Amino acid sequence: MVIAVGSDHAGFHLKEHVKEPLAAAGHEVIDVGTDSPESVDYPGFAAHAARLVAAGTADRGVLACGSGNGVAIVANKVHGIRAVNAHDVAESEMARRHNDINVVTLSGARLRPEQADAIVAAFLATGFEGGRHARRVGEIEQSVQGAEAS
């Protein structure tokens, strides 16, 4: 699987950490930055990774910032992206099963590296249940298209 990863300075250490188990598991990792803990703004990094997922260049995305919220907001502005800021494994699994998320976001300020590893592993290992959830994901897409036409 190809995984796009990105962060700002506050999520840099977590992004760097999660790249290792991803690569060790055989995933191709596309790191869109940032490349240091020097202060930077997150929107460009989050949008870049999200666009790679939306275009099909990457299968999934993992983003980090201080809270995980900012990068989630940016990613969700990209057409075709369903991002969730997961705080634990249960949120990550449920978001995959019911919402078919393709980007998970992480809090660099609140998550320990081993927690992030478990969240990302669940994100990658959990499938989409489909069924009534597929209808709902379709409704999300329709509502976004309707909003763009307005």
Side-chain angles (χ1 to χ4, degrees):
M1 196 177 297
V2 179
I3 313 294
V5 298
S7 72
D8 68 356
H9 59 283
F12 175 73
H13 71 282
L14 208 54
K15 173 187 64 96
E16 291 299 301
H17 174 81
V18 301
K19 287 182 350 182
E20 294 173 24
L22 290 172
H27 300 293
E28 178 185 340
V29 177
I30 302 173
D31 185 344
V32 301
T34 191
D35 298 325
S36 81
E38 295 297 317
S39 183
V40 294
D41 296 330
Y42 60 83
F45 302 106
H48 186 177
R51 284 189 201 107
L52 290 173
V53 175
T57 304
D59 300 300
R60 304 251 179 101
V62 177
L63 300 171
C65 66
S67 65
N69 291 327
V71 290
I73 291 167
V74 172
N76 279 316
K77 296 288 184 181
V78 176
H79 183 80
I81 296 302
R82 291 170 306 284
V84 165
N85 182 10
H87 302 92
D88 56 41
V89 169
E91 283 183 336
S92 183
E93 288 176 343
M94 188 61 67
R96 278 289 306 138
R97 277 194 213 113
H98 290 190
N99 307 110
D100 198 19
I101 65 165
N102 48 14
V103 172
V104 68
T105 70
L106 306 169
S107 170
R110 291 181 183 84
L111 294 174
R112 293 184 315 275
E114 60 274 8
Q115 290 173 299
D117 289 343
I119 290 167
V120 171
F123 167 62
L124 297 177
T126 304
F128 178 50
E129 286 182 3
R132 71 181 192 273
H133 305 296
R135 182 181 71 245
R136 294 170 183 161
V137 170
E139 289 173 6
I140 293 169
E141 183 64 25
Q142 289 174 353
S143 70
V144 170
Q145 289 176 350
E148 290 173 350
S150 299

